[in-house]
Each structure stands twice: as structure tokens, then as C-alpha cells.
Amino acid sequence: MKIGYLDCFSGISGDMFLGALVDAGVPLDVMQGAVASLGLDALLVLKRVDRSGIDSAKVDVLTAEGEVAEAAHAGGGHGHEHPHGHGHEHSHSHEHSHEAGMAHVHGRSLSAIRGLIQASGVAVEVQAIALRAFELLGNAEAKIHNVPVETIHFHEVGAVDAIADIVGVAAGVEWLKVDRWMCSPLNVGGGHVHCAHGKFPVPAPATLELLRDLPVYSSGVKKELVTPTGAALLQALDVTSANFPAMTVSATGYGAGSRDIPGQPNVLRLALGESSSYNSTSRGSKSGTRVGIIETTIDDATPELMAYVADKLLAAGASDVFRTPIQMKKGRAGIQLTVLCAPSRAEALQRMVFEETTTLGLRYREEEKKTLARSWVSVETRWGMVRIKTGAMDDGAVVNYAPEFEDCRAIAERHNIPLKRVMQEAFDAYLAQGEGA
């Protein structure tokens, strides 16, 4: 199993993550291609910097005007990005943007950013990571301001550099094909940040909301070390927090923050490696894991409401959500809503079920989950490459395999051929490849 471990002893931000990925071996062109497809006239620029004696990769976003966009990285240790909800009084001035000499631009809505990413043409897996990061940011801000998520307008986080950071990171992590992302406890820093809503202690409200279920601490540094973008990317990757895992390290990378911190390297360290004896708390391990199950039955909610609730639960970190038609007392038709989640997320998701549905009660339990060890194999069809997801037993025997649906769908639409034909050829290619081995 391939592990990506993020050592966040100096926090994490989007540009630090980009630098760590490049330094660990991800080609800059992979991330640059994804950013270029957005049509924002942005270019990723790589340079080497020294951070307290550590040679590190620093990735900046160069705008169409030829300037390095640092509005989202200017303040604190890495800078502060802050989305805004309409319906709240706020000035449209941003101290950090002014310090960086950047003019304020009206923010983009979540739907505008979603449309930008979906129209980009990047792989659906890259889109999924980037969209989840922005949805998590929007949901966090909407909760803080008690407004609908679609009324949120992102300013610094919706700026060119922050969008490039998130999409670039999504492309980089997809290229690595890591099975499980992990991180150390997060050093959030200290002091205060200034934004349009006033002066806030570190971590900023949106950041703190996004760091739920992850262990945090402060080393005493009076700078913001974890940005909302960094926190959202961690949650979008569904990281597990742990001490350095047992693994055979194959690559390391150091991504630099924008500022030097006296006595402390301002870097994000990424370690990549393989583990064959991953602990039982990992996603995709062959041994038993604990899974939380939330259930409730509802007979007075519309299908539109239930679909909305399911989407919101998934965005908030549920592993899966499904709805089962049932017959309730007095012959009434109803729906059983079932939510699967990590036990650490159960309380927040239970609260969401109560707040978003009409139910007056729910059931919660934990069970042991058994999973196969999952991996990917690419096969060649006459129309292009298709990934095959495999599931193996403890002895390594592959007992399940299936073509990646999105790969097959993209080929079917591009070549105007039946989807089932593409999937069947991918099956045949996988079996032939196995027989040839």
C-alpha cells in the first residue's frame, strides 16, 4: 500500500503542498497542465529556497500581468485566505491583499468556481478532489456565518493563485496514486489574522472548522501556519492523523512557505513509501476497521430534500450515504437514511441529520468493517488507457476487479461508442494481461 505522509510541523498551505509534491518527484508539467486548463492565464513558477538550512521547493503562481500572485500568502507564516458570506456586513478591504500591493477583485461564488473546474477538461479524479476542497471551504464558511453555502463568495480563496494551488495539488496527488494520505498533528501557529470581518485569533474561524477531528497544537510561533486552503486540502484527501507510519520510504519532498520563521524551518515535509502491514485504522486495510453507522426513518420529507441532505453529508465527510424505500406504520411509504462514517465524524454528522431532516430520532452503532487491499492496474484498449481497480485477499490473491467507470465513460463519449463495449474490452485486456504474466 502506497502511503503519503505530510509532516506539518510548520503547518500547511496550498503553495507549500505544491512545493512538497514537486520536490517529491511530481513533474511540474503535470500540475501546470491542470492549472493552464482553467483558462486563468496563470503559470506555476518553481524556484529553490533555503528555509533554516533546508533546501526546499517554492512554487509561486505567476499572473497574466507577470506578477507573482501572493494575495493569499502575504500575511502570517503562509498568508490568510478568507471567504465571505453575503448577508453579513463587511468591508471589501483586505489588509493582506493591500500589503501585497494587490487590487481587490470581487469574489467568485462556489457555483462559479465549480463551473470553472468542471469546464477545465482535467481528469474527473482531479476535479473531484478540487471540488471537494472548495465545497468544504464553502460549507465551513456558511456554517460560521449561518448563511446558505451558495451565497458564499470567495475573495482571497477565489483568487487566481488559490484556485491554482488547489487544482495543482489535486493534479499532483492524483498523479502519485497514493492509497492512503496521513498527516502529523498540525502546528497551527498563534497570534492574530486580519480580515474583512475584523481581527481573529489563529487559527481563523474557517480553518478551525475545517480542522475538526484532526489533532492540532501551537508551538508558540505568532504566525498563521495552517491556512483554510491547506486545511481544506487535508480534509478533501480524507487524511488520517498519526505519528510517522511504518513504511519503506521511497521519496521525500520539502515545500517552502513564503516567510522564514526564526529557529524553525518553514516547510511542509512529504514522505512517500510502501507499507505491507498497515495498521487497522487505515482506509483500505485488509484487517478490521471500525465504521460508524447512522440510521433514521423518515416519512414526511420530499425527494428533493433527501437528495440535498445526502450530498451535504458526503461533503461533510460521510464515507457513504444511501436511501432505502420502506413501508412504515399505517401503510405510509418512507425512506431509511443510512450514513456510513469514521467514528470520529459521527457526532458532527448526527447533528447534521437532525438539523437538515425532519427526523426526531436516529440510531447509531459501530461495527467492524472488512476490506480488500485495493490497487490500480492500467490496461491498453484500442481507444486508450483504462484503469482497473483490483481487490486482493491477505495472501495477495486478486478476487475482484473492475474497470474505472469514469475512464470508460470518457472514452465512450469521445469516440461515440457504447459504454458496455469499452468496459468489456477493458475486462478482456486485463484478463489477457494476467494470462500473459
Side-chain angles (χ1 to χ4, degrees), residues 186-223:
L186 293 133
N187 184 3
V188 297
H192 293 82
V193 291
H194 295 268
C195 60
H197 294 297
K199 183 178 180 181
F200 284 96
V202 169
T207 305
L208 189 59
E209 179 65 25
L210 287 162
L211 292 177
R212 281 193 177 198
D213 304 321
L214 292 174
V216 300
Y217 70 98
S218 174
S219 64
V221 174
K222 298 302 181 184
K223 295 181 182 296

